[in-house]
Amino acid sequence: MDGHVPGLRSEQLLREQELLEGNARSYPRGIPVAFQEGRGATLQDVDGNLYVDFFGGAGTLNVGHSHPDVLEASIAQQRKLNHSLDFPTEAKLRLMRNLKSVLPGTLAGSAKIQFGGPTAPMRSKAL
């Protein structure tokens, strides 16, 4: 770790990403690093530099990176079923019940939960 950002290995990976990936990516342009590992609220890049993760995006906002309880639950679920689109599963229904139970006021009785995901065109019943 030499403290330079981006470090040599990050620069290499960023150049390769530029060659292989489309232009839809934006974060590496403003934050030119390649992350290797995350623990709690910290991230480490491939050059060994440590960062406090103030971004805390998808999957890490509530409990941080690599939380042992989340890892254990994730591994247990993946051993059973990795993907089920929008079909009901016990785990999914349990999550929805728990989410609805903490909604305020009358919202708990009237709200519906929507998960973002793949969409398909509606088919006519005449088909």
Side-chain angles (χ1 to χ4, degrees):
M1 174 172 66
D2 64 11
H4 290 90
V5 177
L8 292 175
R9 184 68 181 131
S10 283
E11 286 178 340
Q12 291 171 340
L13 295 177
L14 288 162
R15 279 193 302 271
E16 185 173 6
Q17 181 185 33
E18 179 72 26
L19 294 172
L20 296 171
E21 190 173 353
N23 288 327
R25 68 195 188 290
S26 62
Y27 294 113
R29 290 187 183 103
I31 307 169
V33 297
F35 293 116
Q36 171 176 289
E37 184 174 326
R39 293 277 181 261
T42 62
L43 292 165
Q44 182 176 0
D45 69 17
V46 294
D47 299 292
N49 298 306
L50 294 174
Y51 307 84
V52 175
D53 183 5
F54 288 107
F55 183 66
T60 64
L61 186 60
N62 295 323
V63 295
H65 296 274
S66 303
H67 190 285
D69 292 341
V70 174
L71 288 174
E72 184 179 320
S74 175
I75 291 167
Q77 179 59 46
Q78 290 182 51
R79 284 191 175 118
K80 292 193 259 180
L81 181 66
N82 283 1
H83 197 297
S84 63
L85 290 170
D86 54 355
F87 292 98
T89 65
E90 292 292 335
K92 182 178 181 178
L93 294 171
R94 184 171 52 251
L95 171 63
M96 290 190 288
R97 286 191 299 269
N98 287 338
L99 287 173
K100 285 188 64 116
S101 75
V102 297
L103 291 175
T106 59
L107 198 54
S110 62
K112 298 271 185 161
I113 296 168
Q114 178 65 47
F115 294 97
T119 60
M122 296 293 287
R123 292 188 178 213
S124 166
K125 289 187 181 200
L127 292 178

